Amino acid sequence: MVVSTKAPSSRLVFGKGNFEHLTEKIRGSPEITSVFLNVERMAAPTKKELEAAWGVEVFDRFTIVLHIFRCNARTREARLQVALAEIPVLRSNLKNDLDGRRGGSRYIMGSGESFKQVQRRLLKEKEIKIRKALEKLRKKRHLLRKQRTRREFPVVSVVGYTNCGKTTLIKALTGDAAAQPRDQLFATLDVTAHAGTLPSSLTVLYVDTIGFLSQLPHDLIESFSATLEDVAHSDLIVHVRDVSHPETELQKASVLSALQGLGLPTPLLDSVVEVHNKVDLVPGYSPAEPNVLAVSALLGYGLEELRAELEEAVLRATGRRVLTLRVHLAGAQLSWLYKEATVQQVDVIPEDGAADVTVTISNAAYGKFRKLFPE
């Protein structure tokens, strides 16, 4: 049953007619054990009044999602982000508690502040402390990104709707035991990087990101926005979809909308590689869209084709190319290539004292090579 609500800021969520209709339906149905309201956040007094009227637990979208986030916050940064998202809730609850309490304007002895002012100040100080801690972590991530850039590691950000199998796919592509997939919503609340190798032996970093959700509450978007900065600094985006989910098309729309909302560069958005995951759960599945790869990260189906596609996309995005260069074994050319490029193969030609070296090399590095070792 879908009914309209009043303005989000209104204390009365429903009009009188809708409220009476809902009360009659809920009270008259023993199968209903709880009610979920698709509103961003609900004031505590409103929640209590609705639960008293309906005789069941009442939840709102923000509370549910925040609870899931809180349960999965395993690192300091994730816990700080959840704590920041909780500040508006604490502030709202404080206002409601103080509005209903007598003597709320009395001054604390010797402080010159009322109880209300003290509580508001403590909340503000807590918020400032959390933001400062998150800013330190943001700067640390910035330094890590600079190191990756300096070492010229291509970065592939793996995004998708929550529980689409991003972490499982990254583990399958890299073999990194640190990637621990779990079959649950928002199992990943932090950005983690995992090194993998493409068919040309080029090392890339796969960045595992927080799962997306349709209509993610505003306070949670604001809290986790810094986490998604890594997506904007990547060379390529891989969009993983769970094609076994009945609402996979709606999930795709939600992810694309969220990516556009991040203000990403147009070339980055235009080069997104779409991967249809969990095809093992859909017998006979074949993508209807062109330029889409179907895989089962769990069973390993389609991974070689995906690696080949990722290599082509990464080479295009980063200005790299695969070249075979003739080098003199007596000079420093070969050791320079091992240091500045990715050497795939070395075919020695003994009679010439030379070798044909197949490398993956950036345009900038190739320019340096030709300048240092002119033909």
Side-chain angles (χ1 to χ4, degrees):
M1 186 164 51
V2 179
V3 298
S4 61
T5 63
K6 291 193 171 185
S9 58
S10 173
R11 184 169 174 269
L12 302 173
V13 180
F14 302 104
K16 183 178 179 181
N18 278 337
F19 179 72
E20 291 177 350
H21 179 61
L22 283 169
T23 301
E24 179 184 346
K25 289 289 185 181
I26 295 169
R27 283 288 190 181
S29 177
E31 290 84 9
I32 297 178
T33 57
S34 61
V35 174
F36 174 82
L37 299 181
N38 195 18
V39 294
E40 179 150 318
R41 189 167 64 240
M42 184 168 46
T46 304
K47 172 180 167 69
K48 291 176 183 177
E49 289 173 3
L50 292 177
E51 288 180 338
W54 294 340
V56 296
E57 282 193 281
V58 178
F59 303 97
D60 63 84
R61 186 178 188 81
F62 181 87
T63 302
I64 293 293
V65 178
L66 183 60
H67 176 70
I68 296 172
F69 274 40
R70 192 184 297 112
C71 291
N72 288 282
R74 290 175 171 79
T75 66
R76 181 168 179 260
E77 183 168 14
R79 288 192 291 270
L80 285 169
Q81 290 167 323
V82 170
L84 182 61
E86 288 177 321
I87 292 293
V89 181
L90 296 173
R91 190 170 284 127
S92 176
N93 291 343
L94 174 64
K95 181 180 183 302
N96 292 324
D97 289 344
L98 293 177
D99 286 347
R101 178 189 298 178
R102 292 184 178 180
S105 62
R106 292 178 181 174
Y107 286 83
I108 305 297
M109 185 178 296
S111 70
E113 292 179 297
S114 68
F115 180 78
K116 181 187 293 187
Q117 290 171 329
V118 169
Q119 295 301 308
R120 285 177 175 169
R121 176 172 57 78
L122 291 176
L123 264 182
K124 184 63 178 176
E125 289 173 355
K126 181 178 180 180
E127 180 180 3
I128 292 172
K129 185 177 179 181
I130 293 172
R131 288 188 183 278
K132 284 183 177 179
L134 283 171
E135 179 61 19
K136 285 184 179 179
L137 292 172
R138 189 189 69 80
K139 289 179 178 178
K140 182 180 178 181
R141 276 203 310 273
H142 177 68
L143 288 173
L144 289 174
R145 281 198 298 267
K146 287 181 68 175
Q147 290 175 358
R148 294 171 194 164
T149 303
R150 193 159 51 242
R151 298 182 69 179
E152 291 193 330
F153 285 141
V155 177
V156 178
S157 285
V158 183
V159 305
Y161 205 86
T162 183
N163 208 32
C164 68
K166 299 185 304 299
T167 306
T168 303
L169 180 61
I170 290 173
K171 186 170 185 178
L173 289 171
T174 65
D176 189 348
Q180 294 296 329
R182 294 187 297 277
D183 183 17
Q184 63 188 58
L185 299 175
F186 300 110
T188 301
L189 285 185
D190 300 278
V191 169
T192 55
H194 308 267
T197 305
L198 296 177
S200 64
S201 300
L202 178 65
T203 298
V204 297
L205 294 179
Y206 293 97
V207 174
D208 196 0
T209 63
I210 181 174
F212 289 83
L213 178 73
S214 61
Q215 300 174 342
L216 190 65
H218 173 76
D219 291 326
L220 284 170
I221 293 175
E222 199 264 347
S223 298
F224 282 83
S225 59
T227 302
L228 295 172
E229 284 181 1
D230 288 84
V231 177
H233 291 87
S234 58
D235 298 296
L236 182 70
I237 295 175
V238 173
H239 175 198
V240 183
R241 291 177 56 189
D242 174 4
V243 292
S244 70
H245 197 284
E247 295 184 344
T248 182
E249 290 297 332
L250 290 175
Q251 291 182 350
K252 175 182 178 178
S254 295
V255 172
L256 294 181
S257 175
L259 288 175
Q260 289 166 358
L262 292 174
L264 302 177
T266 300
L268 187 59
L269 282 175
D270 291 343
S271 63
V272 172
V273 174
E274 185 172 318
V275 177
H276 290 188
N277 190 26
K278 304 188 184 181
V279 296
D280 54 297
L281 301 178
V282 188
Y285 179 81
S286 179
E289 304 95 324
N291 305 317
V292 168
L293 293 102
V295 307
S296 168
L298 189 64
L299 301 183
Y301 172 78
L303 294 186
E304 290 310 309
E305 293 85 351
L306 175 57
R307 285 191 180 94
E309 175 63 26
L310 289 178
E311 177 163 282
E312 288 186 21
V314 166
L315 292 179
R316 283 195 304 269
T318 61
R320 284 175 168 81
R321 45 184 165 164
V322 178
L323 298 174
T324 299
L325 303 172
R326 177 69 59 92
V327 303
H328 300 293
L329 294 176
Q333 292 171 305
L334 185 57
S335 60
W336 190 94
L337 287 173
Y338 267 107
K339 182 180 178 182
E340 300 295 336
T342 301
V343 176
Q344 295 184 33
Q345 186 174 335
V346 178
D347 294 320
V348 178
I349 308 170
E351 61 272 19
D352 294 338
D356 287 334
V357 184
T358 303
V359 295
T360 303
I361 190 168
S362 68
N363 291 332
Y366 182 63
K368 290 179 183 177
F369 178 80
R370 282 300 171 211
K371 187 175 181 179
L372 288 170
F373 310 105
E375 293 179 338

